[in-house]
């Protein structure tokens, strides 16, 4: 409950000492005696606010009293004459007090105004609630239905055979258990209370060092020492009683009371935690962030030595220690001990590669936690991430992480060394200092790099002290020899073993058994796979793909500040990834060719960072399935791309990218066929239903590419006859006149394209179709399927053909008819003369899941391709193309009406809602019909394939040919790739120019941008 007070302390022999409830009831049935009309969290918030205000007023009144006395004295001095020196000092003291009070008042307003906008408003809220108003946003009338508590939980003043757990609510509160503001729970009766209701109950007792526990309680919860002691004694007696009656000695099977050591949890971390999970029957691999709350309460022995001024030799002994009193080498290795393994080579290895800043750390850390990995690194931040390795508790799995390249900051005049493989961490050492354990060496190199930069900045020569300290971090010779012996015998790393390679440079002499690496290097993924396969390890490689412009910008910010080096390193990394995908990807040329690779399964899997951020756990679980990981771990998805994305602007394109795009566009124009003098329509189809259908969701570029590859669309584009926009007769506005036709050039697939023999058909589908925002919050309806275009009837254009034979074929072959109850029409069935057509509104979503099932039921082999693109860019693209009123305006705020601002806000909300609906449709389809989908039977092929737009641009032909292979398309066609993302990614040269805007207008503009939810430096184009 709330903070204890002096009046809470009552003699132990009195009946009403500390309140002890019989049980802690379900939250829905819990109310406070002092405020039964409110939900518990509202009552707690209300009381917390009142206590804050009381403390603030008390503090303020004290300060006001000091100032009033000081001002009275000052006025008296002024009346008596000129101030003396002492009086001037006193005057300065008064002014200082006043300034302090003003500063303190401002600070307290900020401290206690969360959600209320200021202290005065907060005080009003407290007063209003005291008068019975509902300023906390909770309707009391909604909170008083306690029938479920009476009927299901048996809490009622009228039940004699059941207890309420606390004081039974009466009258209108019948069904609630009413608790005092501060109370204990009798653990024994709590267990019995739930057991009597058929609930399997387990109590965990969190045990912590009692001295630290009391100190922490005194600091945060109870400032009355006698009360701290009394409550602690009562707590222990309640826990002892429960342990005696329901602990391991008194219960058959799993005990109802399990003590858990806080210190043990902080010491053994996930090892201890997983034991608790198992004992509780929880199937999880979740590992939290372990922050030791005890550390701040424990005084350092060295600190007391410093205070007492010990001898000089003790000071000298401490000169090589850090601020914890340990020598750095000891601290690094003791806090992060190498987890002993029975075998250095695991059964399965997953290595995560990617260019620097490609999201590989996030991905490898996620996989490491999914396998319940013990992280074998030294964390640089509070959030534990994989440096190079994490191993599962049973040593079956190992997650490796390596960026391309790996190591310290780049240097312009240094070539990147390519090594054969990343060996197990125990056998890994650096060439520069092979005698130092690799994690300590990594810390040493990082410190050296930081200090050298500092010295350059300060223009002071000298070797950093920390390097001298860390050079003592060599392991004991006997420990090194044991490790090297295992590396030689198990991993076959030795200068003397001519049949095996070391993965990098072989250690010689006293380092024979270690693989020695340079400070910055790249790994050849292909040889890395073969290195592990030759040693009987089942290895898979996951490649993290991220938008190349964003990845390069992020790398420039952190890993390498030289643009030329960034470009050359990324090109080298992509060539390594490309080779690996060609040889060990889905259609790899070397799959199944080596001993240990008899399965022939793909060993290189490309993962889209943007797809992961968009589809989150749905995408992640599919990756788990591909890798054979059984886990439900889901990380926090924080999109690192968002901060780089702005509205489309040609100024964001770099010179090289702009010139490339201009060349591509010019070439497309030069190869465009001339408009035909006489148009000959394509021959009619024998069948409207193709043998194979590919529905591409989200990209006309990809649908056109697949159509060309499948022979359904000419690569240079085509001229087709289309109906003009509908015209309307002035006398009958509701009836559109017969549309005229015109020749239109198509350089991309419109709705569909079919091969000449109709074996293949490519559909292009947007989510939603035909939507344009109108300033309202209307969201399009969802239809069942997108039918063949011959049977499609648009609300604006009508049918594509007037031939009655077409409708007849739609009824007989495609089974679209109003009177056919066994088959659905895909949308609204046409009636009367329109029977055989599917009627579609002007805008609509297509449910991809039912779309797949609609075609499967008609014998069509259908595959849906979902193109995933960065979500921030997709949102801004939709605003630009389909909802211009949601875009920022160049006008200043004084010329924009409130109605316009409101319309813009509604439009942005509509775009967001439309995107969320589209995403939900995609997720459902991927869950049910993606690889290992819930609706797929054994032997079924996947019906939904996710493709990364950024991966397509990054790997181009290699990525595209993998997709062809998945779809069963035999083609070598490669389109011209234009990066449409680049124009959306912030450039340093693209910014608002505020120099011509006056101060007042500038402030107005900032308010406008805030109303539009835009950054103040947003590019106006």
């Amino acid at each position: 409950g709330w903070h204890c007070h002096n009046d809470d302390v009552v003699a132990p022999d009195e009946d009403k000492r500390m309140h002890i409830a019989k049980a802690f009831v379900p939250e829905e049935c819990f109310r406070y005696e002092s405020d039964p009309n409110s939900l518990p969290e509202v009552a707690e918030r209300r009381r917390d606010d009142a206590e804050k205000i009381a403390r603030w007023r008390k503090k303020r009144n004290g300060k006001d009293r000091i100032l009033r006395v000081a001002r009275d004295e000052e006025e008296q001095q002024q009346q008596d004459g000129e101030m003396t020196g002492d009086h001037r000092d006193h005057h300065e003291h008064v002014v200082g007090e006043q300034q302090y009070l003003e500063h303190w008042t401002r600070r307290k307003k900020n401290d206690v105004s969360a959600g209320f906008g200021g202290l005065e408003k907060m005080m009003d809220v407290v007063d209003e609630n005291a008068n019975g108003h509902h300023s906390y946003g909770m309707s009391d009338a909604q909170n008083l239905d306690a029938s479920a508590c009476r009927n299901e939980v048996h809490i009622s003043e009228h039940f004699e055979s059941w207890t309420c757990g606390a004081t039974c609510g009466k009258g209108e509160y019948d069904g609630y258990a009413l608790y005092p503001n501060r109370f204990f729970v009798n653990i024994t009766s709590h267990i019995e209370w739930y057991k009597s209701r058929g609930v399997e109950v387990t109590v965990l007792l969190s045990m912590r060092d009692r001295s630290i526990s009391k100190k922490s309680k005194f600091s945060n919860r109870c400032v009355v020492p006698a009360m701290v002691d009394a409550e602690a004694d009562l707590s222990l007696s309640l826990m002892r009683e429960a342990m005696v009656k329901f602990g391991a000695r008194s219960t058959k099977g799993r005990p109802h009371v399990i003590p858990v050591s806080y210190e043990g949890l902080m010491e053994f971390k996930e090892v201890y935690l997983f034991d608790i999970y198992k004992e509780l029957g929880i199937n999880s691999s979740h590992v939290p962030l372990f922050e030791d709350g005890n550390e701040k309460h424990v005084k350092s022995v060295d600190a007391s030595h410093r205070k007492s001024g010990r001898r000089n030799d003790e000071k000298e002994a401490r000169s090589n220690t850090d601020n914890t009193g340990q020598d750095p080498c000891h601290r690094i290795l003791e806090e992060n001990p190498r987890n002993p393994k029975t075998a250095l080579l695991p059964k399965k290895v997953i290595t995560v590669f990617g260019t620097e800043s490609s999201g590989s750390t996030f991905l490898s850390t996620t996989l490491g936690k999914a396998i319940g990995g013990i992280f074998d690194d030294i964390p640089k931040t509070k959030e534990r991430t994989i440096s190079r390795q994490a191993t599962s508790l049973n040593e079956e799995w190992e997650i490796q992480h390596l960026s391309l390249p790996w190591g310290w900051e780049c240097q312009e005049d240094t070539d990147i060394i390519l090594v054969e493989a990343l060996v197990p961490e125990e056998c890994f050492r650096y060439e520069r200092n092979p005698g130092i354990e690799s994690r300590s060496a990594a810390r040493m190199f990082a410190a050296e790099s930081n200090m050298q930069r500092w010295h350059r900045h300060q223009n002071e020569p000298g070797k950093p002290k920390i390097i001298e300290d860390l050079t003592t971090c060599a392991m004991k010779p006997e420990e090194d020899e044991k490790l090297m012996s295992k590396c030689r015998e198990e991993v076959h790393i030795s200068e003397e073993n001519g049949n095996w390679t070391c993965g990098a440079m072989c250690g010689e002499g006293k380092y024979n058994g270690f693989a020695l690496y340079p400070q910055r290097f790249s790994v050849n993924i292909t040889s890395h796979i073969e290195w592990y396969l030759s040693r009987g390890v089942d290895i898979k490689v996951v490649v993290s793909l991220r938008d190349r412009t964003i990845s390069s910008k992020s790398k420039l910010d952190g890993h390498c500040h030289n643009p030329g080096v960034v470009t050359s390193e990324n090109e080298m990394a992509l060539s390594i990834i490309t080779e690996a995908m060609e040889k060990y990807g889905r259609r790899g040329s070397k799959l199944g060719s080596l001993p240990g690779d008899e399965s022939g399964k793909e060993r290189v899997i490309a993962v889209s960072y943007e797809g992961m951020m968009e589809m989150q756990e749905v995408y992640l679980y599919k990756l788990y399935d591909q890798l054979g990981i059984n886990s439900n771990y889901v990380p926090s998805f924080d999109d690192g791309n968002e901060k780089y994305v702005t509205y489309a602007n040609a100024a964001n394109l770099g010179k090289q990218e702009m010139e490339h795009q201009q060349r591509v566009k010019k070439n497309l124009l030069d190869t465009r066929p001339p408009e035909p003098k006489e148009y000959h329509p394509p021959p009619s189809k024998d069948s409207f239903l193709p043998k194979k259908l590919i529905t591409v969701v989200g990209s006309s570029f990809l649908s056109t590419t697949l159509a060309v590859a499948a022979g359904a669309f000419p690569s240079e584009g085509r001229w087709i006859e289309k109906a003009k926009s509908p015209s309307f007769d002035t006398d009958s506005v509701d009836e559109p006149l017969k549309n005229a036709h015109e020749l239109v050039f198509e350089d991309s697939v419109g709705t569909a394209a079919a091969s000449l023999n109709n074996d293949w058909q490519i559909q292009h589908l947007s989510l939603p179709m035909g939507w344009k925002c109108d300033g309202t919050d209307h969201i399009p309806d969802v239809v069942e399927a997108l039918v063949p275009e011959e049977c499609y009837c648009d609300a604006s254009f009508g049918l594509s053909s007037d031939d009655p034979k077409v409708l007849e074929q739609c009824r007989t072959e495609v089974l679209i008819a109003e009177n056919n109850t066994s088959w659905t029409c895909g949308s609204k069935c046409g009636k009367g003369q329109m029977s055989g057509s599917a009627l579609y509104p002007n805008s609509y979503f297509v449910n991809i899941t039912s779309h797949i099932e609609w075609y499967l039921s008609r014998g069509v082999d259908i595959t849906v391709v979902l193109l995933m693109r960065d979500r921030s860019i997709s949102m801004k693209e939709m605003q630009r193309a389909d909802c211009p009123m949601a875009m920022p305006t160049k006008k200043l705020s004084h010329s924009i009406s409130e109605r316009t601002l409101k319309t813009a806000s509604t439009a942005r909300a509509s775009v967001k809602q439309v995107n969320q609906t589209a995403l939900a449709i995609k997720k459902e389809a991927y869950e049910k019909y993606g690889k290992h989908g819930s609706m797929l039977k054994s032997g079924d092929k996947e019906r939904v394939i996710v493709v990364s737009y950024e991966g397509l641009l990054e790997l181009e032909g290699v990525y595209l040919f993998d997709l062809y292979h998945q779809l069963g398309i035999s083609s070598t066609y490669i389109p011209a790739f234009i990066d449409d993302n680049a124009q959306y990614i912030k450039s340093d040269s693209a910014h608002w120019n505020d120099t011509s805007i006056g101060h007042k207008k500038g402030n107005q503009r900032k308010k406008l941008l805030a109303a539009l939810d835009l950054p103040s430096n947003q590019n106006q184009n």
Side-chain angles (χ1 to χ4, degrees):
W2 285 288
H3 292 254
C4 66
H5 299 285
N6 282 309
D7 54 3
D8 290 332
V9 182
V10 184
D13 56 344
E14 294 188 17
D15 292 335
K16 294 183 179 180
R17 48 189 193 279
M18 301 175 211
H19 299 279
I20 304 176
K22 288 188 176 180
F24 187 61
V25 302
E27 183 75 11
E28 295 79 1
C29 310
F30 180 103
R31 288 291 189 273
Y32 284 105
E33 292 175 351
S34 59
D35 194 359
N37 209 42
S38 301
L39 291 172
E41 57 267 27
V42 178
E44 289 163 3
R45 184 174 163 194
R46 184 178 286 137
R47 168 129 182 190
D48 285 345
D49 292 343
E51 288 189 352
K52 286 178 182 177
I53 293 301
R55 289 197 300 272
W56 186 87
R57 282 175 172 157
K58 184 177 180 180
K59 183 82 172 178
R60 186 183 64 181
N61 291 338
K63 286 292 177 183
D64 285 348
R65 200 159 45 248
I66 294 172
L67 287 175
R68 279 197 301 272
V69 173
R71 288 193 187 103
D72 291 344
E73 292 180 1
E74 182 184 344
E75 289 173 3
Q76 185 63 41
Q77 291 292 339
Q78 289 174 346
Q79 291 174 4
D80 293 344
E82 190 175 343
M83 291 185 187
T84 64
D86 291 340
H87 293 153
R88 277 194 297 274
D89 291 343
H90 181 69
H91 173 71
E92 291 169 0
H93 169 74
V94 171
V95 173
E97 282 284 348
Q98 186 170 3
Q99 290 173 345
Y100 169 79
L101 176 62
E102 291 171 356
H103 165 74
W104 186 85
T105 305
R106 285 195 300 272
R107 181 171 62 81
K108 289 309 292 182
K109 284 185 179 182
N110 293 332
D111 285 349
V112 299
S113 63
F116 296 95
L119 183 63
E120 292 78 8
K121 188 173 181 181
M122 185 176 184
M123 291 163 65
D124 292 340
V125 169
V126 174
D127 293 341
E128 285 178 6
N129 278 278
N131 294 327
H133 298 294
H134 313 306
S135 300
Y136 284 82
M138 306 302 297
S139 172
D140 292 342
Q142 297 174 358
N143 302 327
L144 294 178
D145 183 11
S147 57
C149 296
R150 288 191 295 270
N151 300 332
E152 180 185 344
V153 193
H154 309 299
I155 295 176
S156 174
E157 60 176 326
H158 304 295
F159 292 155
E160 294 182 1
S161 57
W162 301 93
T163 58
C164 297
T167 303
C168 296
K170 297 183 179 181
E172 62 179 325
Y173 304 119
D174 182 30
Y176 290 126
L178 306 184
Y179 290 78
N181 290 337
R182 189 171 176 84
F183 62 94
F184 288 81
V185 172
N186 186 315
I187 304 170
T188 304
S189 59
H190 172 82
I191 294 171
E192 293 166 345
W193 194 89
Y194 275 97
K195 285 182 69 178
S196 68
R197 285 157 173 82
V199 178
E200 183 182 339
V201 57
T202 306
V203 172
L204 296 183
L205 301 181
S206 181
M207 312 304 292
R208 186 182 183 188
D209 181 278
R210 59 182 176 183
S211 300
I212 292 177
S213 180
K214 285 185 178 181
K215 283 185 179 181
S216 181
K217 178 172 179 174
F218 183 78
S219 301
N220 300 307
R221 299 174 184 273
C222 186
V223 294
V224 185
M227 196 66 179
V228 169
D229 292 333
E231 288 187 341
D233 291 342
L234 179 55
S235 299
L236 289 174
S237 67
L238 293 172
M239 289 192 277
R240 284 195 190 100
E241 179 190 13
M243 281 286 290
V244 169
K245 292 187 177 179
F246 291 106
R249 291 184 301 169
S250 307
T251 309
K252 293 181 179 179
R254 195 179 78 192
H256 290 293
V257 177
I258 303 171
V260 175
S261 165
Y262 176 83
E263 288 77 15
L265 202 52
M266 292 300 108
E267 182 73 8
F268 292 104
K269 299 182 172 64
E270 59 272 10
V271 179
Y272 193 96
L273 182 63
F274 290 155
D275 266 5
I276 298 173
Y277 286 169
K278 186 174 182 180
E279 198 164 3
L280 294 172
I282 295 174
N283 180 21
S284 176
S285 56
H286 171 66
V287 179
L289 177 64
F290 292 97
E291 293 186 81
D292 190 354
N294 284 3
E295 193 173 354
K296 61 188 175 186
H297 295 285
V298 180
K299 293 182 179 179
S300 170
V301 175
D302 289 313
S304 64
H305 283 182
R306 284 194 295 273
K307 290 180 180 179
S308 60
R310 294 297 178 99
R311 296 188 307 272
N312 290 335
D313 58 343
E314 290 181 347
K315 292 181 180 179
E316 181 65 25
R318 289 196 305 273
S319 64
N320 287 327
T321 63
D322 63 3
N323 58 7
T324 65
Q326 294 177 316
D327 100 82
C329 185
H330 178 269
R331 176 173 52 80
I332 290 171
L333 299 179
E334 287 298 316
E335 290 182 1
N336 300 270
R338 180 79 66 194
N339 298 293
K341 299 177 182 176
T342 55
L344 296 183
L345 288 173
K347 294 179 182 178
K348 298 176 182 179
V349 165
I350 297 172
T351 309
V352 180
F353 287 100
T355 58
E356 285 182 310
S357 298
S358 64
S360 58
T361 300
F362 166 76
L363 186 55
S364 58
T365 301
T366 299
L367 295 177
K369 292 181 178 179
I371 65 167
I374 299 174
F375 285 39
D376 207 7
D377 73 326
I378 300 168
K380 297 177 183 177
T381 61
K382 287 185 177 181
E383 177 61 36
R384 194 135 209 201
T385 59
I386 285 185
S387 175
R388 275 198 307 270
Q389 181 190 55
T391 309
S392 62
L393 286 172
N394 60 6
E395 298 184 18
E396 181 180 2
W397 293 90
E398 181 171 301
I399 307 295
Q400 296 175 337
H401 168 229
L402 207 75
S403 297
L404 298 175
W406 176 269
W408 281 262
E409 290 187 3
C410 65
Q411 295 179 2
E412 188 172 2
D413 56 350
T414 304
D415 292 332
I416 295 300
I417 298 174
L418 189 64
V419 301
E420 183 185 12
L422 177 66
V423 302
E425 184 72 12
E426 292 78 5
C427 309
F428 180 106
R429 292 294 170 93
Y430 286 101
E431 292 175 9
R432 179 179 162 188
N433 254 317
I436 300 178
E437 200 267 351
S438 62
R439 297 172 301 164
S440 302
R443 179 67 67 86
M444 183 184 81
F445 299 151
E448 179 184 41
S449 177
N450 292 334
M451 291 300 289
Q452 284 176 349
R453 285 199 303 272
W454 185 85
H455 284 315
R456 284 197 300 270
H457 178 69
Q458 298 291 328
N459 196 25
E460 294 179 8
K463 190 177 182 182
K465 181 67 175 175
I466 190 169
I467 296 174
E468 295 173 357
D469 292 336
L470 287 175
T471 52
T472 64
C473 286
M475 295 178 69
K476 296 177 181 178
E478 59 272 18
E479 293 178 358
D480 262 355
E481 183 51 46
K482 286 180 183 178
L483 265 182
M484 287 187 289
S485 177
K486 290 191 75 173
C487 292
R488 288 192 297 267
E489 294 169 8
E490 295 181 26
V491 194
H492 308 295
I493 295 176
S494 173
E495 62 174 330
E496 301 162 353
N497 198 337
N499 298 324
W500 302 90
T501 57
C502 297
M505 188 173 78
C506 296
E508 298 177 352
K510 64 177 182 178
Y511 301 121
N512 181 20
F514 288 142
L516 308 184
Y517 289 78
Q519 282 185 243
R520 189 167 175 85
F521 62 92
S522 281
V523 171
N524 185 320
I525 301 175
T526 303
S527 59
H528 175 80
I529 292 171
E530 294 168 352
W531 195 90
Y532 276 96
L533 285 175
S534 68
R535 286 158 173 81
V537 178
D538 183 5
I539 181 172
K540 288 185 179 178
V541 166
V542 176
V543 176
S544 180
L545 298 174
R546 186 182 183 188
D547 181 275
R548 57 185 174 189
T549 309
I550 291 177
S551 180
S552 296
K553 283 182 177 291
S554 181
K555 179 171 178 173
L556 274 168
D557 291 341
H559 296 283
C560 183
H561 306 300
N562 187 313
V565 177
V566 168
T567 301
S568 62
E569 287 186 346
N570 283 350
E571 287 175 354
M572 179 180 181
L574 288 176
S575 68
I576 292 171
I577 293 169
T578 299
E579 180 194 15
M581 287 194 67
E582 287 176 340
K583 293 183 177 178
Y584 288 100
R586 186 182 295 268
R587 57 184 187 91
S589 60
K590 296 193 72 173
L591 288 177
S593 63
L594 295 177
D597 189 26
E598 289 77 11
S599 66
K601 59 186 177 182
E602 64 179 318
R603 297 207 173 269
V604 179
I605 299 169
V607 172
S608 164
Y609 176 83
E610 288 76 16
M612 185 77 78
M613 292 300 111
E614 178 77 350
M615 301 189 77
Q616 298 187 357
E617 69 281 353
V618 175
Y619 191 95
L620 182 63
Y621 287 156
K622 293 297 179 185
L623 177 60
Y624 288 168
D625 287 340
Q626 277 185 279
L627 297 172
I629 295 174
N630 181 20
S631 175
N632 57 6
Y633 171 71
V634 178
S636 173
F637 294 96
D638 297 317
D639 189 355
N641 284 4
E642 194 171 356
K643 60 178 176 283
Y644 294 99
V645 177
T646 181
Y647 286 90
N649 182 1
N652 288 326
L653 297 174
K655 182 181 178 182
Q656 189 176 356
E657 180 64 29
M658 185 176 289
E659 291 174 351
H660 167 72
Q661 293 192 12
Q662 288 172 348
R663 284 195 303 271
V664 171
K665 291 174 182 177
K666 183 178 183 302
N667 184 57
L668 292 174
L669 286 172
D670 292 342
T671 57
R672 174 185 290 193
E675 182 178 349
K677 295 181 180 179
E678 187 176 350
Y679 178 70
H680 299 285
S684 59
K685 301 176 185 175
D686 293 333
S687 171
F688 292 164
L689 291 173
K691 293 179 181 177
K692 295 182 179 180
L693 175 65
I694 299 173
T695 303
V696 180
V697 180
S699 170
S700 59
F701 165 72
L702 184 57
S703 57
T704 303
T705 299
L706 296 178
V708 173
F713 193 84
S715 59
E716 66 276 6
R718 66 183 180 185
W719 291 89
I720 64 164
E721 192 175 61
K722 271 193 173 181
K724 289 183 178 179
S725 299
S727 56
F728 294 90
D729 182 80
T730 54
D731 297 329
S732 180
V733 177
D734 293 329
E735 294 293 332
L737 296 176
K738 185 175 181 179
N739 297 320
H741 288 76
E742 61 182 344
L743 282 180
V744 176
F745 180 75
E746 280 190 343
D747 56 5
S748 61
V749 171
T751 305
S755 60
L756 291 177
N757 57 8
N758 205 34
D759 282 352
W760 290 93
Q761 188 175 117
I762 311 297
Q763 275 183 335
H764 172 62
L765 178 63
S766 298
L767 289 178
M769 293 283 282
W771 180 75
K772 299 289 180 183
C773 71
D774 55 5
T776 68
D777 56 1
H778 171 70
I779 302 299
D781 293 332
V782 181
V783 301
E784 183 185 12
L786 182 63
V787 302
E789 58 182 345
E790 292 82 1
C791 311
Y792 179 98
C793 184
D794 184 89
S796 299
F797 291 90
L799 282 167
S800 59
S801 174
D802 298 328
D803 189 350
K805 293 182 180 178
V806 171
L807 288 179
E808 177 62 26
Q809 190 170 347
C810 290
R811 289 192 292 270
T812 56
E813 181 196 353
V814 191
L815 305 174
I816 296 176
E818 59 177 318
N819 55 0
N820 194 338
T821 56
S822 302
W823 301 89
T824 57
C825 299
S827 184
K828 187 177 179 181
C829 296
K831 297 182 179 180
Q833 292 183 344
M834 302 296 288
S835 177
S837 65
L839 309 180
Y840 288 81
N842 288 326
S843 63
Y844 56 90
F845 287 98
V846 174
N847 185 319
I848 300 172
T849 303
S850 58
H851 174 80
I852 293 170
E853 293 164 351
W854 195 88
Y855 276 97
L856 286 175
S857 67
R858 286 158 173 82
V860 177
D861 183 1
I862 180 175
T863 305
V864 173
V865 177
L866 302 179
L867 188 80
M868 304 307 296
R869 188 181 181 188
D870 179 88
R871 58 182 176 182
S872 301
I873 292 177
S874 296
M875 187 84 77
K876 287 177 167 54
E877 174 77 15
M878 177 175 278
Q879 289 183 9
R880 186 175 74 158
D882 300 325
C883 196
M885 62 181 68
M887 295 281 286
T889 177
K890 295 181 183 179
K891 296 180 180 180
L892 295 175
S893 60
H894 65 273
S895 61
I896 299 177
S897 67
E898 185 177 344
R899 181 180 178 183
T900 302
L901 287 175
K902 186 176 180 181
T903 302
S905 177
T906 303
R908 285 195 304 278
S910 294
V911 171
K912 186 176 181 180
Q913 183 62 42
V914 163
N915 266 279
Q916 289 174 345
T917 305
L919 181 59
I921 290 172
K922 293 175 187 176
K923 281 185 171 182
E924 179 193 20
Y926 193 46
E927 279 183 305
K928 291 183 176 179
Y929 286 101
K931 197 163 188 176
H932 308 287
S934 60
M935 298 294 289
L936 295 177
K937 298 177 182 177
S938 178
D940 285 354
K941 71 172 189 177
E942 58 187 314
R943 298 282 174 188
V944 178
I945 299 171
V946 170
V947 173
S948 163
Y949 177 79
E950 290 76 13
L952 201 54
L953 292 174
E954 188 83 323
L955 298 176
E956 297 186 345
V958 177
Y959 195 97
L960 188 61
F961 291 157
D962 258 12
L963 179 60
Y964 288 169
H965 181 76
Q966 281 181 275
L967 295 170
I969 296 175
S970 178
S971 176
T972 57
Y973 171 69
I974 299 178
F977 290 94
I978 295 180
D979 186 358
D980 285 333
N981 278 5
Q983 61 184 323
Y984 288 94
I985 298 169
K986 293 176 185 176
S987 167
D988 295 335
S989 60
H991 57 82
W992 281 89
N993 183 2
D994 282 339
T995 55
S996 62
I997 302 176
H999 178 69
K1000 184 176 180 181
K1001 290 184 178 180
N1003 287 338
Q1004 290 174 338
R1005 181 181 157 278
K1006 288 177 182 176
K1007 291 179 181 178
L1008 167 64
L1009 293 172
L1012 291 173
D1013 194 25
L1014 295 173
S1016 60
N1017 63 344
Q1018 179 62 60
N1019 189 292
Q1020 57 183 325
N1021 292 326

